[in-house]
Structures are given as C-alpha cells and as structure tokens.
Amino acid sequence: MAEHPSIEKFRAVLTEQGGTGEIVVLPDSVHTAALAAEALGCEVGAIANSLLFDSAGSPVLILTSGAHRVDTVKVEATTGPLKRAEPDFVRHHTGQVIGGVSPIAHPAPVPTYIDPWLRKHDVVWAAAGHPAAVFSTTYDELVTMTGATELEVE
C-alpha cells in the first residue's frame, strides 16, 4: 500500500535532518494524546503535541507533553499574544492539517518552543505530518531538528 504523500514528505525531511526515529501509522480512531499513548504503549506524557498558535498573524509552534495543557497567559509573556490558529492558517504555515502537524517539515521555519517536561522520557512520539502518523524521537533530537527554545507551558 502506498504511503500518504504528506507522510512521504515528512519522511524525506526527517531523513534530511538526521532524524533516527521510526514512523508508525496508527488506526484512524487514535486522535488524542491518550489514545495514541495507549496504542503505542507509552505514557501520555511522552506524546509531544505540536500546537500551532497565531501570534498577531505570525505562527508560533509549541511542542507540549500530552500530559499538559498550554497556559496561554503564562506563555504569552515569552511569545507575545496567542490565539487558536484557524485550519487555513495551520495549513498555510505548516503544509499540514490540524491533528497531523509535525514539529518539522514546514514550508518555512516556524518559531518553536518545547515543554521541558518531555525531557523526562527516553522516547518521545510526535505527529509525522498526517493525523494518523507519528514518529519516535528523543528530546535532544527534537530540539536539534526544530531549534526549539525550552518554555514552561503550565
């Protein structure tokens, strides 16, 4: 069976950036961090949610542990104003759809922040450019590939 084009594109960028992780395609029914963690056999905190926000018209990507919710009031002290990004905004800035936004493989660099809580996990799982695809990585590899800045999100 052929791989979805967005996963193919992600795979190429992952390889280009030296990513060492495995890409896994999960069942369509796995659409939350908790369900993904259950399917992968890991803690929900090891799921890195890629949340794109609109900051006065500019994208801001926050990679947060699946165990956390982003306290936008707290985070705005560093990022500037944040609002939930509309689907068209997400697709324009990432080339991906909500639910499948990966930390990498965007048309242009996106300022990225990472929840240091993810460091607690030897293996971290993040979206691989498609709502049903994830990839394994490490905290350090994720920081290297994204250029992310650590930021307490809770």
Side-chain angles (χ1 to χ4, degrees):
M1 189 167 144
E3 193 167 63
H4 190 279
S6 63
I7 300 171
E8 282 182 11
K9 178 182 176 188
F10 173 83
R11 184 183 301 281
V13 173
L14 181 67
T15 300
E16 178 183 295
Q17 291 192 350
T20 60
E22 169 191 13
I23 296 174
V24 175
V25 178
L26 299 169
D28 288 337
S29 60
V30 179
H31 56 272
T32 66
L35 291 172
E38 185 177 327
L40 293 164
C42 69
E43 293 179 34
V44 72
I47 303 295
N49 289 327
S50 299
L51 305 175
L52 191 80
F53 290 90
D54 181 339
S55 180
S58 295
V60 171
L61 183 64
I62 299 179
L63 307 176
T64 185
S65 166
H68 291 162
R69 295 189 63 84
V70 175
D71 178 342
T72 54
V73 173
K74 178 179 181 177
V75 170
E76 284 176 342
T78 300
T79 65
L82 295 178
K83 69 177 185 177
R84 181 179 296 237
E86 296 294 326
D88 288 343
F89 183 90
V90 172
R91 185 180 285 277
H92 173 76
H93 289 286
T94 68
Q96 301 157 355
V97 297
I98 292 174
V101 173
S102 73
I104 60 171
H106 309 139
V110 174
T112 303
Y113 297 89
I114 189 166
D115 181 352
W117 184 268
L118 290 166
R119 184 187 303 277
K120 296 181 180 192
H121 302 279
D122 293 335
V123 176
V124 175
W125 292 89
H130 184 276
V134 294
F135 76 106
S136 60
T137 187
T138 65
Y139 180 87
D140 290 337
E141 184 176 80
L142 203 50
V143 169
T144 298
M145 288 191 299
T146 62
T149 301
E150 275 194 4
L151 180 63
E152 295 286 340
V153 300
E154 270 201 323

